[in-house]
Amino acid sequence: MIDYISSLPGHAALPPFPRRLAVLGATGSIGVSTLAVAEDHPGSFEITALSGGGNIALLARQAATFRPRYLAVLREEGARELKALLPAGYAPEILCGPESFVALATLPEVQVVLSAIVGAAGLPPTLAAARAGKIIALANKESLVLAGHLIRRACRESGAVVLPVDSEHNALFQSLAGHNGADVDHLILTASGGPFRTWPAEKLATVTAGQALKHPNWSMGAKISIDSATLMNKGLEVIEACHLYGLPQDRVKVLVHPQSIVHSLAAYKDGSLLAHLGLPDMRIAIAYCLCYPERLPLKLEPLDLARIGSLTFEEPRLEDFPCLNLARAAVTAGASHCVALNAANEVAVDMFLRDLISFPAIARSVEWAVANHHGFDAADVDTIMELDRATRLQVAGYLKETP
Ligand code: NAD
Ligand code: MG
């Protein structure tokens, strides 16, 4: 039985176009794709606010193009640098620090919040947007992994709407639309398998960050690219799907599909599988969420199935890529275990990207962190963020001793 995380208002209750957007994480891969959609459809959106963690020069160029009234960055020196780069005659309000992302997410004039900060840092603004009753186009899967239960409750209380940008969950959303949730037997998330899908197990110890960053089909930020290579991305997505669709993890299956054309499938009790197919281009899912329930004509080459020829499917290699099952175990154990899992993964991925630890050490440190975590009630966001901080320190210490 599907129990969606938020209500889904009808057409008449949704904001008319142009919709006023806050784009959080504007300088990242999803943020850039979002602004590309907005640039191609100027009548559909008004960019009210943009935020960036780094890459101030890009944020300045984006701001000069879209002229939002509000900008936010992580640090004060970034704010100064940004101000100096803006064109004459344009003087937006520039905020800084983690609180500033919460401020943008809750601006009264903002109707749709595109949540695309990477990692646990995305949780506070996403939860704030949920409490403020916004429409949330959600790319930041980590916020559901950490606090899906709090976001669900906030949506119920405020009337906020969550629309999944993550391509698999967006595919499921489209495959479930108009059907009876009680008829769904299970969901199937597809996975590309990452760059090491066919590598022999013993070679995985030699993987470099450069190799792991080369995703076969998608162009994405560094963290999610590494998560795709370890299959942790699919683990996080299983947890994300449990929260979005209100299902236990054993009703969310994973199937490796190397072509990344079938983005996921809903399996109904009569044996029907409804799938969503498309090019591996995030603009499709982003535009769907920003315009829901309408669709935009996107400037993409048509999906030529005859040219692709065959779509193949296989089971994931669970023993060689243990992160997927570690995520399943964490979500079964409880919300605080998911916080520990995610924090350990973020620290390990960051250290792997800086060549400080090996590829297998990512899964090993996640396993260590979850095994050493004694679950407790992750009842509020402060408790969650505190556990996130504490686990990061512990895992960094562990990896320093046993890299
Ligand atoms: P990215 O690394 O390319 O961009 C991240 C953005 O967040 C940047 O704007 C960065 O400056 C900002 N940022 C980083 N740390 C921050 C902090 N501490 N505080 C505030 N801002 C910070 O990441 P991405 O690939 O665009 O992914 C963004 C989110 O979307 C992730 O949660 C990812 O899992 C999810 N997602 C991405 C894709 C994709 O194709 N890239 C697909 C599905 C889901
Ligand atoms: Mg995905």
Side-chain angles (χ1 to χ4, degrees), residues 122-346:
L123 171 59
T126 304
L127 186 58
R131 289 187 173 141
K134 303 297 185 192
I135 297 172
I136 306 169
L138 184 61
N140 176 255
K141 66 191 80 182
E142 293 90 346
S143 56
L144 285 180
V145 171
L146 267 60
H149 57 303
L150 301 184
I151 292 174
R152 174 177 286 262
R153 194 192 310 148
C155 289
R156 295 293 153 109
E157 287 169 3
S158 70
V161 175
V162 173
L163 299 168
V165 169
D166 207 351
S167 57
E168 296 77 1
H169 307 74
N170 188 272
L172 291 171
F173 189 90
Q174 298 198 40
S175 304
L176 294 166
H179 296 274
N180 186 349
D183 290 337
V184 173
D185 184 68
H186 61 275
L187 304 176
I188 304 171
L189 298 175
T190 53
S192 71
F196 311 124
R197 179 178 61 88
T198 59
W199 281 36
E202 56 287 0
K203 235 182 114 188
L204 292 175
T206 69
V207 158
T208 65
Q211 290 168 325
L213 283 169
K214 283 200 192 95
H215 194 277
N217 306 325
W218 297 91
S219 149
M220 309 183 285
K223 192 251 175 187
I224 186 176
S225 297
I226 304 302
D227 287 348
S228 298
T230 60
L231 283 197
M232 179 55 94
N233 184 48
K234 218 44 59 179
L236 299 177
E237 290 185 355
V238 167
I239 303 174
E240 180 184 14
C242 293
H243 285 297
L244 278 172
Y245 297 107
L247 290 175
Q249 61 84 18
D250 58 359
R251 303 274 297 277
V252 181
K253 303 188 191 294
V254 170
L255 196 56
V256 172
H257 165 49
Q259 296 82 19
S260 298
I261 296 296
V262 177
H263 294 308
S264 278
L265 312 92
Y268 288 83
K269 63 187 180 191
D270 64 355
S272 300
L273 295 183
L274 298 197
H276 168 268
L277 281 70
L279 291 171
D281 188 314
M282 288 307 295
R283 283 175 295 175
I284 298 174
I286 292 167
Y288 183 86
C289 293
L290 297 183
C291 295
Y292 175 80
E294 295 189 15
R295 290 179 192 262
L296 283 178
L298 294 179
K299 290 184 198 153
L300 298 173
E301 58 177 283
L303 172 57
D304 184 346
L305 288 174
R307 191 171 57 78
I308 292 166
S310 63
L311 301 175
T312 62
F313 301 91
E314 62 200 45
E315 291 294 337
R317 288 167 56 194
L318 296 173
E319 291 196 356
D320 299 329
F321 299 93
C323 287
L324 174 52
N325 273 347
L326 288 172
R328 287 193 183 279
V331 72
T332 305
S336 70
H337 287 80
C338 296
V339 179
L341 172 106
N342 182 72
N345 183 57
E346 287 196 29

Side-chain angles (χ1 to χ4, degrees), residues 91-125:
E93 202 168 315
I94 302 179
L95 301 93
C96 75
E99 278 304 307
S100 67
F101 310 124
V102 170
L104 296 197
T106 55
L107 284 168
E109 56 266 60
V110 164
Q111 297 166 316
V112 181
V113 175
L114 189 290
S115 168
I117 291 174
V118 64
L123 171 59

